[in-house]
Amino acid sequence: PFSLDPPDMATSLPNARLAFDKGQAFFEQRKWDEALAAFRAAVEKDPEMSAAWFAVAYAEGKSSGKSTEAEIDAYERCIKLDPKHAIAHYNLGISLKDVRKDHDRAEAMYRKAIELDPKHADAHNNLGSLLYDRKDYVQAEAMYRTAIELSPEHPRAGNDRRPRWSPRHDNN
């Protein structure tokens, strides 16, 4: 989910790097609680380590099995430190939608993720889902088509409520 050697690691404090590496090892073993504790230790030792904030957020979701407020807070910290972190924007969008039901901010996060990484198929797909729910079928279709073009084997592109692109097929 995150690079083993994120760019901000070169300037991170040694003890924070050790805690982060320990979290990575636990994460790879799918020991979510232990990974989360190690990543939290990393941000305690170096609150400016954006990669560790991203890891805290990601591990928070894995540990709890769902999006949480703590996850939102950690993604926001990551983005504050690294505004160009496309995946953090995308994941924050998911969490905002799921936890706070804040579809406007979720949309903004998906759009920012796409701006930062135009080839992020999941961001296009999720933005399409939000637009579809708002009955903006034309824009939803464009997002789904882009997701499929970017990733033809995408497991969810347009499949959340198939068929997606025609209001005639809306079951609501």
Side-chain angles (χ1 to χ4, degrees), residues 19-106:
F20 184 87
D21 290 346
K22 186 177 178 182
Q24 280 282 60
F26 283 130
F27 196 92
E28 290 169 6
Q29 297 170 37
R30 297 182 179 270
K31 294 182 177 179
W32 313 126
D33 293 337
E34 293 91 339
L36 180 57
F39 293 139
R40 283 184 179 153
V43 297
E44 285 176 23
K45 295 173 188 334
D46 185 357
E48 303 298 310
M49 187 191 292
S50 66
W53 283 110
F54 180 84
V56 166
Y58 200 92
E60 187 74 48
K62 288 292 191 179
S63 179
S64 68
K66 62 181 181 176
S67 295
T68 65
E69 281 293 330
E71 186 178 336
I72 291 171
D73 294 340
Y75 281 131
E76 287 176 338
R77 292 286 298 265
C78 172
I79 290 167
K80 183 177 180 186
L81 294 166
D82 182 4
K84 295 185 179 188
H85 197 304
I87 298 171
H89 283 91
Y90 167 74
N91 289 355
L92 178 56
I94 293 170
S95 299
L96 289 166
K97 180 180 166 286
D98 292 348
V99 175
R100 296 184 184 166
K101 310 300 182 216
D102 188 343
H103 294 223
D104 291 337
R105 278 197 64 212

Side-chain angles (χ1 to χ4, degrees), residues 103-104 107 111 126-144 161 163-172:
H103 294 223
D104 291 337
E107 178 181 346
R111 288 188 186 280
N126 285 21
L127 179 55
S129 293
L130 277 178
L131 294 169
Y132 182 86
D133 290 343
R134 292 181 176 161
K135 303 198 183 318
D136 185 348
Y137 302 114
V138 172
Q139 289 300 314
E141 178 180 0
M143 290 297 116
Y144 290 135
R161 288 178 211 81
R164 276 297 217 190
W165 303 324
S166 171
R168 293 187 307 269
H169 298 290
D170 190 14
N171 293 329
N172 293 332

